[in-house]
Amino acid sequence: MTINTDNLLESILESLDRVDYIRAEEIPNIDLYMDQVTSIMEERLRASARYPDSDKILTKTMINNYSKNDLLPPPVKKKYSREHILLLIFIYYFKGFLSMGDISRLLKPITEEYFHGDLHELSLQEVYEAVFSMEGDLVSDVKKDLKSSFERSQNIFESVQDDKEREHLQTFAFICTLSFDVYMKKMMIEKMIDAMPQMEAQTKKKHEKKQGETSA
């Protein structure tokens, strides 16, 4: 994602219009070897990388580390299912601002409940599709927030006479505003993850009750 500093706001908004995600139907409905999985991720998420020419979206080492850290169920006969790829997409977005431990705690209940989809009306694919169906509205909301933050940043340092110095300070203020927003949201996410053991206990009781009803 490249930003043109000569027209900062418009360039950012145009970049957001190019933000996309991997749709479930674009993922082959057959089990894939690791090389095939990394190829799909590289092809579909390359445009979102900070440095598209050099950044690695997903590597074999990353996948192995995710499995070792209980973020990803092990493959079956060295092959990965569509559900594996859906989890890898979630991990890709989370890893930019969450620790491996937090991602594991966040995804573990989802994996346990929906990875095979045997005991629920919803499958992991349906969970994924429901979450990402909000993308359009979210991008629209982000654009509005960006415009508001940008306008506020342009209304300060007006007393600075030098145009380049003023522009630099206003851009710095804009980045600080966005950074504080990220900081606050990250803090809220971490607090919700910290509260998840209680939520997991409630889910476990519900799961055990459902199993008991099924066996009866």
Side-chain angles (χ1 to χ4, degrees), residues 56-119:
K56 291 293 185 182
I57 301 300
L58 185 68
T59 65
K60 295 178 181 180
T61 301
M62 291 178 188
I63 293 177
N64 288 330
N65 285 338
Y66 298 154
S67 295
K68 289 178 183 177
N69 286 282
D70 295 326
L71 274 69
L72 192 71
V76 178
K77 296 181 180 178
K78 296 185 178 181
K79 285 189 173 183
Y80 296 84
S81 65
R82 175 181 282 184
E83 286 76 14
H84 281 105
I85 298 176
L86 296 177
L87 286 175
L88 285 168
I89 296 169
F90 278 122
I91 293 169
Y92 173 76
Y93 289 113
F94 288 142
K95 71 176 184 177
F97 56 92
L98 290 177
S99 68
M100 289 295 106
D102 279 342
I103 298 174
S104 177
R105 293 172 66 187
L106 181 59
L107 287 181
K108 187 176 180 180
I110 300 298
T111 302
E112 290 179 346
E113 295 293 320
Y114 303 106
F115 188 79
H116 296 295
D118 298 331
L119 299 172

Coordinates of all heavy atoms in Angstrom, one line a residue, residues 56-119:
K56 N 7.3 -10.8 3.4 CA 6.8 -12.2 3.3 C 5.4 -12.2 4.0 O 5.3 -11.9 5.1 CB 7.7 -13.2 3.9 CG 9.0 -13.4 3.2 CD 8.8 -14.1 1.9 CE 10.1 -14.4 1.2 NZ 9.9 -15.0 -0.2
I57 N 4.4 -12.6 3.2 CA 3.0 -12.7 3.8 C 2.9 -13.9 4.7 O 2.4 -13.9 5.8 CB 2.0 -12.8 2.6 CG1 2.1 -11.6 1.7 CG2 0.6 -13.0 3.2 CD1 1.8 -10.3 2.4
L58 N 3.4 -15.1 4.2 CA 3.4 -16.3 4.9 C 4.5 -17.2 4.5 O 4.7 -17.4 3.3 CB 2.0 -17.0 4.7 CG 1.7 -18.2 5.5 CD1 1.6 -17.9 7.0 CD2 0.4 -18.9 5.0
T59 N 5.2 -17.8 5.4 CA 6.2 -18.8 5.1 C 6.0 -20.1 5.8 O 5.2 -20.2 6.7 CB 7.6 -18.2 5.5 OG1 7.6 -18.2 6.9 CG2 7.9 -16.9 4.9
K60 N 6.7 -21.1 5.3 CA 6.6 -22.5 6.0 C 7.0 -22.4 7.5 O 6.4 -23.0 8.3 CB 7.6 -23.5 5.3 CG 7.2 -23.8 3.9 CD 8.2 -24.7 3.2 CE 7.8 -25.0 1.8 NZ 8.8 -26.0 1.2
T61 N 8.0 -21.6 7.8 CA 8.4 -21.4 9.2 C 7.3 -20.8 10.0 O 7.1 -21.2 11.1 CB 9.7 -20.5 9.2 OG1 10.7 -21.1 8.5 CG2 10.1 -20.3 10.7
M62 N 6.6 -19.8 9.4 CA 5.5 -19.1 10.2 C 4.4 -20.2 10.5 O 3.9 -20.3 11.6 CB 4.9 -18.0 9.3 CG 5.8 -16.8 9.2 SD 5.0 -15.6 8.1 CE 6.3 -14.4 7.9
I63 N 4.1 -21.0 9.5 CA 3.0 -22.0 9.7 C 3.4 -23.0 10.7 O 2.6 -23.3 11.6 CB 2.7 -22.7 8.3 CG1 2.1 -21.7 7.3 CG2 1.7 -23.9 8.6 CD1 1.8 -22.3 6.0
N64 N 4.6 -23.4 10.7 CA 5.1 -24.4 11.7 C 5.1 -23.7 13.1 O 4.7 -24.4 14.1 CB 6.5 -24.8 11.4 CG 6.6 -25.8 10.2 OD1 5.6 -26.5 10.0 ND2 7.7 -25.8 9.4
N65 N 5.5 -22.5 13.2 CA 5.4 -21.8 14.5 C 4.0 -21.6 15.0 O 3.8 -21.7 16.2 CB 6.1 -20.4 14.4 CG 7.6 -20.5 14.3 OD1 8.2 -21.5 14.8 ND2 8.3 -19.5 13.8
Y66 N 3.1 -21.3 14.1 CA 1.7 -21.2 14.5 C 1.2 -22.5 15.1 O 0.4 -22.5 16.1 CB 0.8 -20.8 13.3 CG 1.2 -19.4 12.8 CD1 0.9 -19.1 11.4 CD2 1.8 -18.4 13.5 CE1 1.2 -17.9 10.9 CE2 2.1 -17.2 13.0 CZ 1.8 -16.9 11.7 OH 2.2 -15.7 11.1
S67 N 1.6 -23.6 14.5 CA 1.2 -24.9 15.0 C 1.8 -25.2 16.3 O 1.1 -25.7 17.2 CB 1.5 -26.0 14.0 OG 0.9 -25.9 12.8
K68 N 3.1 -24.9 16.5 CA 3.8 -25.1 17.7 C 3.2 -24.3 18.9 O 3.2 -24.7 20.0 CB 5.3 -24.8 17.6 CG 6.0 -25.8 16.8 CD 7.5 -25.4 16.6 CE 8.2 -26.3 15.7 NZ 9.7 -25.9 15.5
N69 N 2.7 -23.1 18.5 CA 2.1 -22.2 19.6 C 0.6 -22.4 19.7 O -0.1 -21.5 20.3 CB 2.4 -20.8 19.2 CG 3.9 -20.4 19.5 OD1 4.3 -20.2 20.6 ND2 4.7 -20.4 18.4
D70 N 0.0 -23.5 19.2 CA -1.4 -23.8 19.3 C -2.3 -22.8 18.7 O -3.5 -22.6 19.1 CB -1.8 -24.0 20.8 CG -1.0 -25.2 21.4 OD1 -0.8 -26.2 20.7 OD2 -0.7 -25.1 22.6
L71 N -1.8 -22.1 17.7 CA -2.7 -21.2 16.9 C -3.4 -21.9 15.8 O -4.5 -21.4 15.3 CB -1.9 -20.0 16.3 CG -1.6 -18.8 17.2 CD1 -0.7 -19.1 18.4 CD2 -1.1 -17.6 16.4
L72 N -2.8 -23.0 15.4 CA -3.3 -23.7 14.2 C -3.3 -25.2 14.4 O -2.3 -25.8 14.9 CB -2.4 -23.4 13.0 CG -2.9 -23.8 11.6 CD1 -4.0 -22.9 11.2 CD2 -1.7 -23.6 10.6
P73 N -4.4 -25.9 14.2 CA -4.4 -27.4 14.3 C -3.4 -28.0 13.3 O -3.2 -27.4 12.3 CB -5.9 -27.7 14.0 CG -6.7 -26.5 14.2 CD -5.8 -25.4 13.9
P74 N -2.9 -29.1 13.7 CA -1.9 -29.8 12.8 C -2.6 -30.2 11.5 O -3.7 -30.5 11.4 CB -1.4 -31.0 13.6 CG -2.5 -31.2 14.6 CD -3.1 -29.9 14.9
P75 N -1.8 -30.3 10.4 CA -2.3 -30.7 9.1 C -2.6 -32.2 9.2 O -2.1 -32.9 10.1 CB -1.2 -30.4 8.1 CG 0.0 -30.5 8.9 CD -0.4 -29.9 10.3
V76 N -3.4 -32.7 8.3 CA -3.7 -34.1 8.2 C -3.0 -34.7 7.0 O -3.2 -34.3 5.8 CB -5.3 -34.3 8.0 CG1 -5.5 -35.8 7.8 CG2 -6.0 -33.8 9.2
K77 N -2.0 -35.6 7.3 CA -1.2 -36.1 6.2 C -0.5 -35.0 5.4 O -0.4 -35.1 4.2 CB -2.0 -37.1 5.3 CG -2.5 -38.3 6.0 CD -3.3 -39.2 5.1 CE -3.9 -40.4 5.8 NZ -4.7 -41.3 4.9
K78 N 0.0 -34.0 6.1 CA 0.7 -32.9 5.6 C -0.1 -32.0 4.7 O 0.4 -31.2 3.9 CB 2.0 -33.4 4.8 CG 3.0 -34.1 5.6 CD 4.2 -34.4 4.8 CE 5.3 -35.1 5.7 NZ 6.5 -35.4 4.9
K79 N -1.4 -32.1 4.8 CA -2.3 -31.3 4.0 C -3.2 -30.4 4.8 O -3.6 -30.8 5.9 CB -3.2 -32.2 3.1 CG -2.5 -32.8 1.9 CD -3.4 -33.4 0.9 CE -2.7 -33.9 -0.4 NZ -3.7 -34.4 -1.4
Y80 N -3.5 -29.2 4.3 CA -4.2 -28.2 5.1 C -5.6 -28.0 4.4 O -5.7 -27.9 3.2 CB -3.5 -26.9 5.1 CG -2.2 -27.0 5.8 CD1 -1.0 -27.5 5.2 CD2 -2.1 -26.6 7.2 CE1 0.2 -27.6 5.9 CE2 -0.9 -26.7 7.9 CZ 0.3 -27.2 7.2 OH 1.4 -27.3 7.9
S81 N -6.6 -27.9 5.2 CA -8.0 -27.8 4.7 C -8.3 -26.3 4.5 O -7.5 -25.4 4.9 CB -9.0 -28.4 5.7 OG -8.9 -27.7 7.0
R82 N -9.5 -26.1 4.0 CA -10.0 -24.7 3.9 C -10.1 -24.0 5.2 O -9.8 -22.8 5.4 CB -11.4 -24.7 3.2 CG -12.0 -23.3 3.1 CD -13.4 -23.4 2.5 NE -13.3 -23.5 1.0 CZ -14.3 -23.5 0.2 NH1 -15.5 -23.4 0.7 NH2 -14.2 -23.5 -1.1
E83 N -10.4 -24.8 6.3 CA -10.5 -24.2 7.6 C -9.1 -23.7 8.1 O -9.0 -22.7 8.8 CB -11.1 -25.3 8.6 CG -12.6 -25.5 8.5 CD -13.0 -26.4 7.2 OE1 -12.0 -27.0 6.7 OE2 -14.2 -26.4 6.9
H84 N -8.1 -24.5 7.8 CA -6.7 -24.1 8.1 C -6.4 -22.7 7.5 O -5.9 -21.8 8.2 CB -5.7 -25.1 7.6 CG -5.6 -26.3 8.5 ND1 -6.1 -27.5 8.1 CD2 -4.9 -26.5 9.7 CE1 -5.8 -28.4 9.1 NE2 -5.1 -27.8 10.0
I85 N -6.8 -22.5 6.3 CA -6.5 -21.3 5.6 C -7.3 -20.1 6.2 O -6.8 -19.0 6.3 CB -6.8 -21.4 4.1 CG1 -5.9 -22.5 3.5 CG2 -6.6 -20.1 3.3 CD1 -6.1 -22.8 2.0
L86 N -8.5 -20.4 6.5 CA -9.4 -19.3 7.2 C -8.7 -18.9 8.5 O -8.6 -17.7 8.8 CB -10.8 -19.9 7.4 CG -11.6 -20.2 6.2 CD1 -12.9 -20.8 6.6 CD2 -11.8 -19.0 5.3
L87 N -8.2 -19.8 9.3 CA -7.5 -19.5 10.5 C -6.2 -18.7 10.2 O -5.9 -17.7 10.9 CB -7.2 -20.7 11.3 CG -8.4 -21.4 12.0 CD1 -7.9 -22.7 12.7 CD2 -9.0 -20.5 13.1
L88 N -5.5 -19.1 9.2 CA -4.3 -18.4 8.8 C -4.6 -16.9 8.4 O -3.8 -16.0 8.7 CB -3.6 -19.1 7.7 CG -2.8 -20.4 8.1 CD1 -2.4 -21.2 6.8 CD2 -1.6 -20.1 8.9
I89 N -5.7 -16.7 7.8 CA -6.1 -15.3 7.4 C -6.4 -14.5 8.7 O -5.9 -13.3 8.8 CB -7.3 -15.3 6.5 CG1 -6.9 -16.0 5.2 CG2 -7.8 -13.9 6.2 CD1 -8.1 -16.3 4.3
F90 N -7.1 -15.1 9.6 CA -7.3 -14.4 10.9 C -6.0 -14.0 11.6 O -5.8 -12.9 12.0 CB -8.2 -15.2 11.8 CG -9.6 -15.2 11.6 CD1 -10.4 -16.3 11.3 CD2 -10.3 -14.0 11.6 CE1 -11.7 -16.3 11.1 CE2 -11.7 -13.9 11.4 CZ -12.4 -15.1 11.1
I91 N -5.1 -15.0 11.6 CA -3.8 -14.8 12.2 C -3.0 -13.7 11.5 O -2.4 -12.9 12.2 CB -3.0 -16.1 12.2 CG1 -3.6 -17.2 13.1 CG2 -1.5 -15.9 12.7 CD1 -3.0 -18.6 12.9
Y92 N -3.1 -13.7 10.2 CA -2.4 -12.7 9.5 C -2.8 -11.2 9.9 O -1.9 -10.4 10.1 CB -2.6 -12.8 8.0 CG -2.1 -11.7 7.1 CD1 -0.7 -11.7 6.8 CD2 -2.9 -10.7 6.6 CE1 -0.2 -10.6 6.0 CE2 -2.4 -9.7 5.8 CZ -1.1 -9.7 5.5 OH -0.6 -8.6 4.8
Y93 N -4.1 -11.0 10.1 CA -4.5 -9.7 10.5 C -4.2 -9.4 12.0 O -3.8 -8.3 12.3 CB -6.0 -9.6 10.2 CG -6.3 -9.5 8.8 CD1 -7.0 -10.5 8.1 CD2 -5.9 -8.4 8.0 CE1 -7.3 -10.4 6.8 CE2 -6.2 -8.3 6.7 CZ -6.9 -9.3 6.0 OH -7.2 -9.2 4.7
F94 N -4.3 -10.4 12.8 CA -4.1 -10.2 14.3 C -2.7 -10.0 14.6 O -2.4 -9.2 15.5 CB -4.6 -11.4 15.1 CG -6.1 -11.5 15.1 CD1 -6.7 -12.8 15.0 CD2 -6.9 -10.4 15.2 CE1 -8.1 -12.9 15.1 CE2 -8.3 -10.6 15.3 CZ -8.9 -11.8 15.2
K95 N -1.7 -10.6 13.9 CA -0.3 -10.6 14.3 C 0.3 -9.2 14.2 O 1.4 -9.0 14.8 CB 0.5 -11.6 13.5 CG 0.7 -11.2 12.1 CD 1.6 -12.2 11.4 CE 1.9 -11.8 9.9 NZ 2.8 -12.7 9.2
G96 N -0.3 -8.3 13.5 CA 0.2 -7.0 13.4 C 0.1 -6.2 14.7 O 0.9 -5.2 14.9
F97 N -0.8 -6.6 15.6 CA -0.9 -5.8 16.8 C -1.2 -6.6 18.1 O -1.3 -6.1 19.2 CB -2.1 -4.8 16.7 CG -3.4 -5.4 16.3 CD1 -4.3 -5.8 17.3 CD2 -3.7 -5.6 15.0 CE1 -5.5 -6.3 16.9 CE2 -4.9 -6.2 14.6 CZ -5.8 -6.5 15.6
L98 N -1.2 -7.9 17.9 CA -1.4 -8.8 19.1 C -0.3 -9.8 19.2 O 0.3 -10.2 18.2 CB -2.7 -9.6 19.0 CG -4.0 -8.8 19.1 CD1 -5.2 -9.7 18.9 CD2 -4.1 -8.1 20.5
S99 N 0.0 -10.2 20.5 CA 1.0 -11.2 20.7 C 0.5 -12.6 20.3 O -0.7 -12.8 20.2 CB 1.4 -11.2 22.2 OG 0.3 -11.7 23.0
M100 N 1.5 -13.5 20.1 CA 1.1 -14.9 19.8 C 0.2 -15.5 20.9 O -0.8 -16.2 20.6 CB 2.3 -15.8 19.5 CG 3.1 -15.4 18.3 SD 2.2 -15.8 16.7 CE 1.8 -14.1 16.2
G101 N 0.5 -15.2 22.1 CA -0.3 -15.7 23.2 C -1.7 -15.2 23.2 O -2.7 -15.9 23.4
D102 N -1.9 -13.9 22.9 CA -3.2 -13.3 22.8 C -4.0 -13.9 21.6 O -5.2 -14.2 21.7 CB -3.2 -11.8 22.7 CG -3.0 -11.1 24.0 OD1 -3.2 -11.7 25.1 OD2 -2.6 -9.9 24.0
I103 N -3.3 -14.1 20.5 CA -4.0 -14.6 19.3 C -4.4 -16.1 19.6 O -5.6 -16.5 19.3 CB -3.1 -14.6 18.1 CG1 -2.7 -13.2 17.7 CG2 -3.7 -15.3 16.9 CD1 -1.7 -13.1 16.6
S104 N -3.6 -16.8 20.3 CA -4.0 -18.2 20.7 C -5.2 -18.2 21.6 O -6.1 -19.0 21.4 CB -2.8 -18.8 21.4 OG -3.1 -20.1 21.8
R105 N -5.2 -17.3 22.6 CA -6.4 -17.3 23.5 C -7.6 -16.8 22.8 O -8.8 -17.3 23.1 CB -6.1 -16.3 24.6 CG -5.0 -16.8 25.6 CD -4.6 -15.8 26.6 NE -5.7 -15.5 27.5 CZ -5.7 -14.5 28.4 NH1 -4.6 -13.7 28.5 NH2 -6.7 -14.3 29.2
L106 N -7.5 -16.0 21.8 CA -8.6 -15.5 21.0 C -9.2 -16.5 20.1 O -10.4 -16.7 20.0 CB -8.2 -14.2 20.2 CG -9.3 -13.5 19.4 CD1 -10.4 -13.0 20.3 CD2 -8.6 -12.3 18.7
L107 N -8.3 -17.2 19.4 CA -8.7 -18.2 18.4 C -9.1 -19.6 18.9 O -9.8 -20.3 18.3 CB -7.7 -18.3 17.3 CG -7.5 -17.1 16.3 CD1 -6.5 -17.4 15.3 CD2 -8.8 -16.8 15.6
K108 N -8.5 -19.9 20.1 CA -8.7 -21.3 20.6 C -10.2 -21.7 20.7 O -10.6 -22.7 20.3 CB -8.0 -21.4 21.9 CG -8.0 -22.9 22.4 CD -7.2 -23.0 23.7 CE -7.2 -24.5 24.2 NZ -6.4 -24.6 25.4
P109 N -11.0 -20.8 21.3 CA -12.4 -21.2 21.5 C -13.1 -21.3 20.1 O -14.0 -22.2 19.9 CB -13.0 -20.0 22.3 CG -11.9 -19.4 23.0 CD -10.7 -19.5 22.0
I110 N -12.7 -20.5 19.2 CA -13.3 -20.5 17.8 C -12.9 -21.8 17.1 O -13.7 -22.5 16.5 CB -12.8 -19.3 17.0 CG1 -13.3 -18.0 17.6 CG2 -13.4 -19.4 15.6 CD1 -14.8 -17.8 17.8
T111 N -11.6 -22.2 17.3 CA -11.1 -23.4 16.6 C -11.8 -24.6 17.3 O -12.2 -25.5 16.5 CB -9.6 -23.5 16.8 OG1 -9.0 -22.4 16.3 CG2 -9.1 -24.8 16.1
E112 N -11.9 -24.7 18.6 CA -12.5 -25.8 19.3 C -13.9 -26.0 18.9 O -14.4 -27.1 18.8 CB -12.3 -25.7 20.8 CG -10.8 -25.8 21.2 CD -10.7 -25.7 22.7 OE1 -11.7 -25.1 23.4 OE2 -9.6 -26.0 23.3
E113 N -14.6 -24.9 18.8 CA -16.1 -24.9 18.6 C -16.5 -25.1 17.1 O -17.4 -25.8 16.8 CB -16.7 -23.7 19.1 CG -16.6 -23.5 20.6 CD -17.4 -24.5 21.4 OE1 -18.5 -24.9 20.9 OE2 -16.9 -25.0 22.4
Y114 N -15.7 -24.5 16.2 CA -16.2 -24.4 14.8 C -15.2 -25.0 13.7 O -15.6 -25.0 12.6 CB -16.4 -23.0 14.4 CG -17.4 -22.3 15.4 CD1 -17.0 -21.4 16.3 CD2 -18.8 -22.6 15.3 CE1 -17.9 -20.8 17.2 CE2 -19.7 -22.0 16.2 CZ -19.2 -21.1 17.1 OH -20.1 -20.5 18.0
F115 N -14.1 -25.5 14.1 CA -13.1 -26.0 13.1 C -13.7 -27.1 12.3 O -13.5 -27.2 11.1 CB -11.8 -26.4 13.8 CG -10.7 -26.7 12.8 CD1 -10.0 -25.6 12.1 CD2 -10.4 -28.0 12.4 CE1 -9.0 -25.9 11.2 CE2 -9.4 -28.3 11.5 CZ -8.7 -27.2 10.9
H116 N -14.3 -28.0 13.0 CA -15.0 -29.2 12.3 C -16.5 -29.0 12.1 O -17.1 -29.6 11.2 CB -14.7 -30.5 13.1 CG -13.3 -30.8 13.1 ND1 -12.5 -31.2 12.0 CD2 -12.4 -30.9 14.2 CE1 -11.3 -31.4 12.4 NE2 -11.2 -31.3 13.7
G117 N -17.1 -28.1 12.9 CA -18.5 -27.8 12.7 C -19.4 -28.9 12.9 O -20.5 -28.9 12.4
D118 N -19.0 -29.9 13.8 CA -19.9 -31.0 14.0 C -21.0 -30.8 15.0 O -22.1 -31.3 14.8 CB -19.0 -32.2 14.5 CG -18.0 -32.6 13.5 OD1 -18.2 -32.5 12.3 OD2 -16.9 -33.1 14.0
L119 N -20.8 -29.9 16.0 CA -21.7 -29.7 17.0 C -22.5 -28.4 17.0 O -23.2 -28.1 17.9 CB -21.0 -29.8 18.4 CG -20.3 -31.2 18.7 CD1 -19.5 -31.1 19.9 CD2 -21.4 -32.3 18.8

